[in-house]
Amino acid sequence: MKKDVIIALDFPNGKETLEFLDKFEGKKPFVKIGMELFYSEGPSIINEIKARGHKIFLDLKLHDIPNTVEKAMMSLTKLDVDMCNVHAAGTIEMMQAALRGLTSIKGENRPLLIAVTQLTSTSEERMQEELLINHSLEDTVTKYAQNTKFAGLDGVVCSPRESALIHNACGSDFLTVTPGIRFADAKKDDQVRITTPEDAKKLGSNFIVVGRPITKADDPVLAYERCLKEFL
């Protein structure tokens, strides 16, 4: 599981989600379940999609005191997901607690655990003016990635533009999972730091997370296959 396209299932309910997946007859794409769908349907939607044979990235971006995050991760191990995440801004101690929660139940068979550096909707200007982080976006993302590696996690969520920077700082085995993917002929939507699947490949992304360019496409299966071709 070192390189793949992950489809973001950003649907409001399970019915729409399963109807979308029904289009992929004979295919089992890696999928991401985020807050909208998980909070709407709960664990049952994960069980249903796992039963269909899909790998799942559960994207809940945990960020709380270390004890709470550790206990939450212990609960998430019951869901048998393949990847989950926290916010790197929660500190090294919190990330170590998250890892402890996963390994205490699953051991070496735990899901991949990654940390969000800065959201791809965040520009350097917003980060500095609203979050009062007075370093460059690149320096901040690199530091967060280094903290994540020090905590023992498997990788980070970042912009594709930062993949090479992070691999240089943290090693080639340290995973970069990159949203903010758009086809060259598509609109940006609310993303700021974006690239195409082909450029993400060149920049060294391990996984790309693709939502609307696939889920809103006239032919989602064709759009997914286009992503696979351009990225892999």
Side-chain angles (χ1 to χ4, degrees), residues 3-214:
K3 209 169 184 68
D4 208 345
V5 172
I6 303 175
I7 302 177
L9 300 178
D10 296 329
F11 296 102
N13 56 62
K15 181 176 182 293
E16 289 184 38
T17 302
L18 298 177
E19 286 175 352
F20 172 79
L21 290 177
D22 285 341
K23 301 176 190 292
F24 291 80
E25 188 175 353
K27 302 178 187 297
K28 305 294 182 185
F30 201 145
V31 298
K32 179 178 81 72
I33 295 176
M35 297 179 192
E36 179 183 17
L37 182 56
F38 185 76
Y39 293 157
S40 170
E41 298 291 335
S44 63
I45 192 64
I46 292 178
N47 296 334
E48 174 66 27
I49 292 173
K50 285 297 289 187
R52 290 176 173 227
H54 297 271
K55 293 187 177 76
I56 294 177
F57 167 23
L58 182 58
D59 178 26
L60 298 183
K61 301 182 182 72
L62 300 187
H63 188 175
D64 211 310
I65 63 172
N67 183 65
T68 297
V69 170
E70 181 174 355
K71 297 295 175 56
M73 282 297 179
M74 291 173 69
S75 295
L76 291 184
T77 59
K78 302 171 187 175
L79 301 180
D80 195 30
V81 298
D82 301 275
M83 183 186 294
C84 54
N85 63 356
V86 297
H87 266 291
T91 74
I92 291 171
E93 182 184 2
M94 188 208 76
M95 289 190 281
Q96 289 173 330
L99 183 60
R100 218 166 33 243
L102 286 181
T103 54
S104 66
I105 305 295
K106 287 284 190 177
E108 295 301 316
N109 295 319
R110 66 170 177 81
L112 291 172
L113 179 58
I114 58 178
V116 177
T117 53
Q118 287 292 326
L119 299 173
T120 50
S121 60
T122 301
S123 64
E124 182 168 279
E125 181 181 34
R126 281 181 172 175
M127 185 189 76
Q128 292 177 347
E129 292 185 1
E130 297 178 24
L131 305 182
L132 298 182
I133 297 175
N134 296 319
H135 292 274
S136 71
L137 188 61
E138 286 190 350
D139 286 348
T140 303
V141 166
T142 301
K143 177 59 175 174
Y144 281 20
Q146 289 170 328
N147 287 349
T148 302
K149 183 175 182 180
F150 183 83
L153 276 62
D154 302 294
V156 291
V157 179
C158 63
S159 161
R161 299 180 187 182
E162 293 139 16
S163 283
L165 191 72
I166 289 170
H167 286 309
N168 287 337
C170 300
S172 59
D173 291 338
F174 190 73
L175 301 176
T176 54
V177 180
T178 61
I181 302 296
R182 294 292 183 270
F183 293 123
D185 52 1
K187 62 180 181 178
K188 289 184 177 182
D189 296 309
D190 56 352
Q191 302 284 9
V192 175
R193 295 166 13 249
I194 62 171
T195 59
T196 64
E198 187 175 10
D199 284 341
K201 174 185 177 180
K202 294 175 182 176
L203 292 166
S205 297
N206 296 100
F207 297 88
I208 57 172
V209 180
V210 188
R212 284 165 284 189
I214 295 177

